[in-house]
Amino acid sequence: MRITGYRTLTTVQEWGRPVGDANGVFADGVVPVSIVVVDTDEGISGVGLGPHVEIERIFAAIEGEDPRAVTTLYDRMLRHTFKAGHAGPVFGTIGALDTALWDIKAQAAGEPLWRLLGGSDRRVPAYASGLDIGLTDDELVAEYEVYASHGLRAAKLKGGLDIERDRHRLGLVRDVLTEAGNGRRPGLMLDVNEAWTRKQAVRHVCELERTLDLIWIEEPVRRWDAEGLAAVSRGVCASVATGENLTGLEQYRPLITAGAVDIVQMAAVWGVTHFLRASALAHAYDLPVSPIGNSPVGLLHAATSVPNHLTSELQDLRPPVGVSVDLHVEDGAFVLGDSPGLGVRVDEERIRTANRRPQAQTADSPNVRPERAGRRLLAGVDGISARKVPVVPLNSHNEVSSTARH
């Protein structure tokens, strides 16, 4: 079997409500989702959800090769990008191609990827994560009632701009999950997306912990600040979770060795091989791991095979437009199916006929760090309201671009 070409597509995730974090909100809840499809000479194609930045250069590392040599090809892609660097979206492109190769390998073997990787249990524990900072109280309660109806008893909220607002919103979700769980105490987490300084983080979390029990605080300070993350971990009761924006073991190693991370996270976009390697590194330090992302399909399969998986993020209960996935959610867990490979199918015609293009990203996007992040003296000042975060209207559109090579 040989790799013959690839295609790139862009569809959207339609949330049907505002989504975002402390950095900004997509008001219409429509977010682009990039896809890479890798083809072979035996008619088997693999799907990877992730960017396609500099994909021509990266694909040259694997073109014409046997796709079943996945880890060898992963290292080859890293070598092809080492001069300019293999971080950020370039690392995401490598991850998307890597995931597609794992999909091909499992399809060729006639097995779901979770079984090929050595998993024995198709159930992957999950927690609810609504990207919910832009919701009103009523909208927040309604959204988490839906999660609770699928058996989810742990939830991660977005926050970090105002202590009292975070306390109030966490309390609302706690009550929803407690009622659904017949009085059993739920799990609560808070994600602030690097919005604080070290002292702000300790002050904010310690105040919340006077009345709430938090499992973890996510990305309290900048992702690379090992000393700061360690200081936060020592200063609060909650665990510090981070890692979704780290790319490569070389970025994890200094944080882990400094005791700066209690729960090691990996983004779905970075790929299956990266997850397996980072999980092994974390396991050597007796640390749990947790996949992050709206479509972490590849990492869900991989999570069944590692001994230190804790829980996986469940964002939208629906897949992106034009994408179907052989899994469902019940009793608080993802339940993977028996379809060979990832169980992901892409309806390229549905994506193509939509024929819409996303607007350019603005300064109020969740992907743009606000100028005053970490330098806000009080909530509700410095241009940020305690009750309203920056909202960017984004009429994102479906797009398909064919760059198949043979």
Side-chain angles (χ1 to χ4, degrees):
M1 184 186 301
R2 299 295 168 185
I3 299 168
T4 58
Y6 69 89
R7 301 186 304 285
T8 62
L9 307 96
T10 301
T11 184
V12 292
Q13 187 76 38
E14 296 182 337
W15 286 76
R17 58 177 179 79
V19 292
D21 55 36
N23 301 300
V25 172
F26 292 134
D28 65 1
V30 181
V31 182
V33 177
S34 299
I35 302 171
V36 176
V37 180
V38 176
D39 297 320
T40 69
D41 61 356
E42 294 190 13
I44 299 176
S45 296
V47 178
L49 300 180
H52 30 81
V53 174
E54 298 190 35
I55 192 167
E56 283 282 341
R57 177 162 64 95
I58 299 169
F59 183 76
I62 64 173
E63 186 173 17
E65 298 294 328
D66 189 327
R68 293 168 293 187
V70 184
T71 54
T72 299
L73 296 180
Y74 179 82
D75 288 325
R76 183 176 293 180
M77 288 188 284
L78 292 180
R79 292 199 304 274
H80 267 61
T81 56
F82 95 104
K83 280 287 188 180
H86 45 67
V90 171
F91 196 79
T93 300
I94 293 172
L97 290 168
D98 172 74
T99 301
L101 297 183
W102 279 110
D103 188 16
I104 292 170
K105 182 169 184 170
Q107 288 184 62
E111 294 186 331
L113 182 58
W114 63 267
R115 186 172 291 126
L116 180 74
L117 290 172
S120 61
D121 188 352
R122 69 182 68 222
R123 298 178 60 84
V124 182
Y127 67 90
S129 178
L131 310 186
D132 44 52
I133 201 168
L135 302 184
T136 66
D137 288 356
D138 289 343
E139 291 169 337
L140 183 72
V141 168
E143 190 63 32
Y144 280 89
E145 285 176 342
V146 175
Y147 287 125
S149 70
H150 288 79
L152 292 154
R153 298 295 178 261
K156 182 176 77 181
L157 274 66
K158 296 290 189 179
L161 297 178
D162 178 74
I163 291 173
E164 292 309 319
R165 183 169 188 255
D166 288 347
R167 190 197 310 277
H168 175 67
R169 296 173 74 251
L170 285 162
L172 290 175
V173 172
R174 175 197 58 200
D175 293 346
V176 168
L177 299 183
T178 299
E179 182 178 357
N182 297 317
R184 187 175 60 183
R185 176 185 290 186
L188 297 174
M189 300 86 98
L190 183 67
D191 184 3
V192 302
N193 296 97
E194 306 181 49
W196 297 329
T197 65
R198 304 174 190 183
K199 283 292 188 180
Q200 285 175 332
V202 173
R203 174 174 172 267
H204 197 117
V205 176
C206 284
E207 178 61 26
L208 291 177
E209 289 182 329
R210 290 177 54 250
T211 55
L212 292 166
D213 180 22
L214 292 179
I215 295 176
W216 77 59
I217 178 68
E218 187 167 324
E219 289 193 322
V221 299
R222 301 313 301 272
R223 68 197 68 167
W224 53 76
D225 185 4
E227 183 178 320
L229 289 163
V232 175
S233 182
R234 292 191 299 267
V236 303
C237 294
S239 295
V240 167
T242 191
E244 67 175 282
N245 289 306
L246 302 181
T247 54
L249 298 186
E250 68 277 8
Q251 293 190 8
Y252 282 87
R253 188 167 53 244
L255 269 65
I256 290 176
T257 57
V261 53
D262 303 305
I263 296 171
V264 180
Q265 297 174 314
M266 302 86 159
V269 72
W270 306 140
V272 172
T273 299
H274 171 263
F275 172 82
L276 293 172
R277 292 180 177 181
S279 294
L281 174 62
H283 186 49
Y285 287 83
D286 292 321
L287 294 174
V289 298
S290 181
I292 293 292
N294 184 49
S295 302
V297 184
L299 302 199
L300 297 179
H301 283 264
T304 66
S305 70
V306 300
N308 51 335
H309 174 260
L310 178 64
T311 183
S312 291
E313 184 173 36
L314 170 59
Q315 294 184 359
D316 203 340
L317 287 159
R318 300 162 298 180
V321 172
V323 176
S324 62
V325 185
D326 184 14
L327 64 78
H328 65 280
V329 179
E330 67 176 21
D331 296 331
F334 294 97
V335 182
L336 299 169
D338 285 317
S339 297
L342 292 174
V344 175
R345 297 294 176 264
V346 177
D347 186 342
E348 298 185 34
E349 184 59 27
R350 184 180 177 192
I351 295 173
R352 183 177 293 106
T353 54
N355 193 28
R356 298 182 301 172
R357 295 182 178 276
Q359 291 184 346
Q361 178 173 273
T362 73
D364 291 329
S365 161
N367 299 322
V368 177
R369 182 171 170 82
E371 182 180 358
R372 299 294 296 176
R375 294 188 289 119
R376 301 182 183 109
L377 181 62
L378 297 171
V381 297
D382 296 333
I384 299 293
S385 168
R387 291 289 175 178
K388 183 179 180 181
V389 295
V391 176
V392 52
L394 176 65
N395 298 317
S396 298
H397 302 300
N398 292 340
E399 175 188 10
V400 57
S401 60
S402 177
T403 50
R405 298 179 57 184
H406 301 283

